[in-house]
């Protein structure tokens, strides 16, 4: 019972922090203005880990390598702590390489989960409160993903099905990653 509760708390804390790191990397890639309050919150939450890594690894082009490396390290630590919480001991050295690869899969799951939630929140807010203060940020974050879908879909007279298509694609991606993780690592 205690190990399940501990596993749950570890999973929530590390997943939320990992998703914040994914958001930070995405904000860098799309050049989201860093001075809005939402960007500031993500930067302040993640600076303690990303800034020291940035001294060793510099961002390049559209990729914020320090944030991605911090996210990968967070996913790796999550997998190690999950192992310890559920088994009561450290993993064998032979399982460290698969855990390093599983950390990449975990990062991709966090990214797809983020896409799913941002799209869903934006779609719901567009019906309920389209003038919500967070809508411009949500639009900026999701536009690079929704715009290509909108261009590929036929015009349906004011009904936008691109969020639904993106939700389905993100969910299919998560299912593929789950299958891949299970077949490669047994997780």
């Amino acid at each position: 019972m205690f190990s399940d509760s501990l596993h749950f708390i570890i999973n929530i804390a590390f997943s939320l922090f990992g998703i914040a790191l994914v958001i930070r990397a995405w904000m860098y890639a799309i050049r989201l203005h860093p001075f809005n309050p939402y960007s500031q919150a993500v930067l302040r939450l993640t600076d303690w880990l990303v800034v020291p890594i940035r001294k060793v690894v510099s961002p390049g082009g559209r990729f914020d390598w320090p944030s991605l490396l911090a996210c990968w390290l967070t996913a790796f630590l999550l997998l190690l702590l999950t192992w310890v919480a559920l088994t009561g001991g450290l993993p064998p050295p032979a399982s460290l390489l698969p855990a390093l690869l599983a950390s990449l899969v975990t990062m991709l799951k966090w990214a797809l989960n983020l896409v799913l939630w941002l799209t869903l929140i934006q779609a719901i807010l567009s019906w309920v409160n389209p003038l919500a203060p967070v809508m411009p940020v949500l639009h900026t974050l999701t536009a690079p993903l929704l715009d290509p879908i909108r261009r590929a879909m036929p015009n349906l007279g004011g009904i936008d099905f691109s969020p639904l298509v993106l939700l389905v694609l993100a969910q299919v991606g998560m299912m593929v990653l789950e299958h891949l993780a299970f077949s490669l690592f047994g997780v």
Side-chain angles (χ1 to χ4, degrees):
M1 173 81 168
F2 177 74
S3 67
D4 290 338
S5 300
L6 183 61
H7 173 254
F8 175 74
I9 291 169
I10 289 170
N11 192 27
I12 291 294
F14 277 79
S15 294
L16 289 175
F17 185 69
I19 289 171
L21 289 165
V22 171
I23 291 172
R24 183 182 178 124
W26 185 244
M27 288 177 1
Y28 182 88
I30 64 171
R31 306 292 192 240
L32 183 66
H33 198 280
F35 295 115
N36 74 59
Y38 304 106
S39 297
Q40 284 294 308
V42 169
L43 293 174
R44 286 185 185 141
L45 178 68
T46 57
D47 267 350
W48 68 270
L49 182 59
V50 175
V51 169
I53 293 174
R54 187 159 283 162
K55 292 177 183 174
V56 179
V57 177
S58 60
R62 292 240 198 255
F63 294 101
D64 186 9
W65 295 114
S67 294
L68 293 172
L69 180 59
C71 186
W72 177 74
L73 290 171
T74 302
F76 181 67
L77 190 56
L78 168 65
L79 294 175
L80 290 180
L81 288 175
T82 298
W83 183 285
V84 170
L86 295 178
T87 66
L90 293 174
S95 65
L96 290 180
L97 181 62
L100 292 173
L101 296 173
S103 301
L104 289 174
V105 173
T106 301
M107 282 177 57
L108 291 173
K109 283 194 237 179
W110 287 341
L112 289 173
N113 212 342
L114 179 65
V115 167
L116 191 129
W117 281 104
L118 288 177
T119 306
L120 190 61
I121 291 168
Q122 181 183 359
I124 291 171
L125 276 178
S126 72
W127 300 329
V128 176
N129 187 5
L131 299 177
V134 75
M135 282 299 280
V137 174
L138 289 172
H139 177 72
T140 304
L141 290 171
T142 59
L145 303 171
L146 290 172
D147 288 347
I149 297 170
R150 286 184 181 124
R151 285 191 296 272
M153 291 185 65
N155 186 354
L156 298 174
I159 299 175
D160 185 13
F161 284 109
S162 61
L164 179 63
V165 172
L166 184 58
L167 287 171
V168 169
L169 290 173
Q171 193 64 41
V172 168
M174 286 174 42
M175 290 166 57
V176 168
L177 284 175
E178 287 291 330
H179 180 71
L180 178 69
F182 185 76
S183 64
L184 290 178
F185 315 113
V187 222

